[in-house]
Amino acid sequence: MAGVSLKCGDCGALLKSVEEAQEHAELTSHSNFAESTEAVLNLVCTTCSKPCRSKTESDLHTKRTGHTEFVDKTMETVKPISLEAPKAAAMEIDNIDGSSGSGDASEVEMVVPGVDKNILEELEGMGFPKARATRALHYSGNASLEAAVNWVVEHENDPDVDEMPKVPANSNSGPPKPALTPEEVKIKAQELRERARKKKEEEEKRMEREREKERIRIGKELLEAKRIEEDNERKRLLCGFEKMEGGEFLFLPRDKIDPAVINSAGTELNSAINNPFFGVL
């Protein structure tokens, strides 16, 4: 019986064609293939019609979807394996060894793209090489001198910045965009300045709002701290503390001390310290 599949000698996978074997080799680096009379399974799910190439794949499908019924259509699709190289690969081989093919005839002609000559002259007058100036104009869309200069600044470290750009000769890129007139340039510049001014004003307003919020927050914190200090001082005065001369310190006169209260507090504190669970509860 003729072979109906290719079997990978490294992992045992069954493959339907040379193309599949090539893809498998590229993905896995396996290179040991042989013809096999064992057909690649074609188990079709009766619920969703998904084909599965192995029992393992059908089991995984069942686990993911709950579908359990499959129809074996292997013999309907099986056919002898063809060991001929794919046509595309054969053409590549022919072109490499030069025995056939028309690579030269099919090569696309590449030409320098058209750019705005007036802006190109201005860029060259500024000291930019022609190739760099042409490249800048092409990739900035021939928009303006400013756009071309900005492109040069952004791409001055590109390794190909001084290579003349090329495009297919038959590309329908259309004529280059016309340069702006001096009056249009002035209007555009004014618009940019106005936009920058508004953006700066908005940023300054935002920063001022943030600073005002911070000042309010700090003021509230200071007022709260002062209120707490005054409240604590009032409580101490109510408890009998008196201010010393200068008002910097408070003290409790001896005649206002209640020994019973002090002793009771000491007893409670000593009991808490001696409690084995002190610090745990």
Side-chain angles (χ1 to χ4, degrees):
M1 178 180 177
V4 293
S5 67
L6 289 174
K7 187 171 185 177
C8 176
D10 296 310
C11 65
L14 292 175
L15 306 155
K16 290 182 178 180
S17 63
V18 174
E19 291 91 335
E20 284 192 4
Q22 289 175 338
E23 292 178 3
H24 181 77
E26 291 175 0
L27 292 173
T28 63
S29 298
H30 297 168
S31 58
N32 183 18
F33 298 94
E35 283 188 77
S36 173
T37 56
E38 184 180 355
V40 178
L41 291 180
N42 184 24
L43 304 176
V44 181
C45 176
T46 57
T47 305
C48 64
S49 301
K50 174 181 171 55
C52 298
R53 295 168 60 111
S54 66
K55 187 66 170 62
T56 301
E57 187 176 347
S58 65
D59 290 342
L60 288 173
H61 181 70
T62 298
K63 187 175 181 180
R64 286 195 299 265
T65 64
H67 302 166
T68 57
E69 298 294 330
F70 295 87
V71 177
D72 189 347
K73 295 186 177 182
T74 302
M75 300 311 296
E76 296 179 11
T77 57
V78 68
K79 60 182 179 179
I81 192 75
S82 173
L83 298 180
E84 292 183 3
K87 185 177 293 185
M91 290 178 64
E92 289 178 3
I93 295 172
D94 289 342
N95 288 333
I96 290 173
D97 61 21
S99 60
S100 64
S102 55
D104 294 337
S106 62
E107 286 184 2
V108 178
E109 182 184 359
M110 304 296 287
V111 297
V112 177
V115 296
D116 190 292
K117 293 183 179 180
N118 294 329
I119 303 180
L120 180 62
E121 290 177 0
E122 291 185 56
L123 289 170
E124 289 182 294
M126 295 169 66
F128 294 111
K130 185 173 183 178
R132 184 179 298 195
T134 303
R135 198 174 191 85
L137 279 172
H138 173 64
Y139 287 109
S140 63
N142 289 286
S144 65
L145 177 64
E146 180 184 4
V149 172
N150 288 338
W151 187 94
V152 171
V153 172
E154 293 173 0
H155 297 269
E156 60 181 350
N157 294 323
D158 290 0
D160 57 352
V161 68
D162 286 323
E163 293 182 11
M164 188 66 75
K166 295 293 183 69
V167 296
N170 59 355
S171 64
N172 186 22
S173 58
K177 296 180 180 179
L180 298 177
T181 64
E183 187 63 28
E184 289 173 331
V185 170
K186 289 181 181 179
I187 295 174
K188 188 69 175 177
Q190 181 62 30
E191 290 177 355
L192 292 174
R193 284 194 293 269
E194 184 66 19
R195 194 181 306 165
R197 183 186 64 80
K198 289 182 178 180
K199 185 176 181 180
K200 184 178 180 181
E201 288 180 354
E202 291 175 358
E203 182 65 17
E204 289 177 350
K205 289 180 180 179
R206 186 187 67 80
M207 293 299 295
E208 182 59 31
R209 288 195 297 269
E210 293 296 327
R211 286 192 290 268
E212 182 63 24
K213 288 180 182 179
E214 185 66 12
R215 285 194 293 268
I216 293 173
R217 184 187 66 80
I218 293 174
K220 287 182 177 179
E221 289 181 355
L222 290 174
L223 289 174
E224 180 65 14
K226 184 178 180 181
R227 185 192 66 77
I228 292 173
E229 178 60 27
E230 291 176 349
D231 189 48
N232 289 337
E233 184 175 345
R234 185 171 61 256
K235 290 178 180 178
R236 287 192 290 268
L237 292 174
L238 290 174
C239 291
F241 283 83
E242 297 179 2
K243 282 189 176 183
M244 297 182 65
E245 186 177 353
E248 296 182 3
F249 302 99
L250 295 175
F251 74 99
L252 186 63
R254 182 178 295 275
D255 58 349
K256 293 185 178 181
I257 296 176
D258 188 344
V261 174
I262 297 297
N263 291 334
S264 176
T267 301
E268 292 292 334
L269 181 60
N270 186 57
S271 175
I273 293 174
N274 293 326
N275 189 332
F277 298 102
F278 179 69
V280 177
L281 299 178

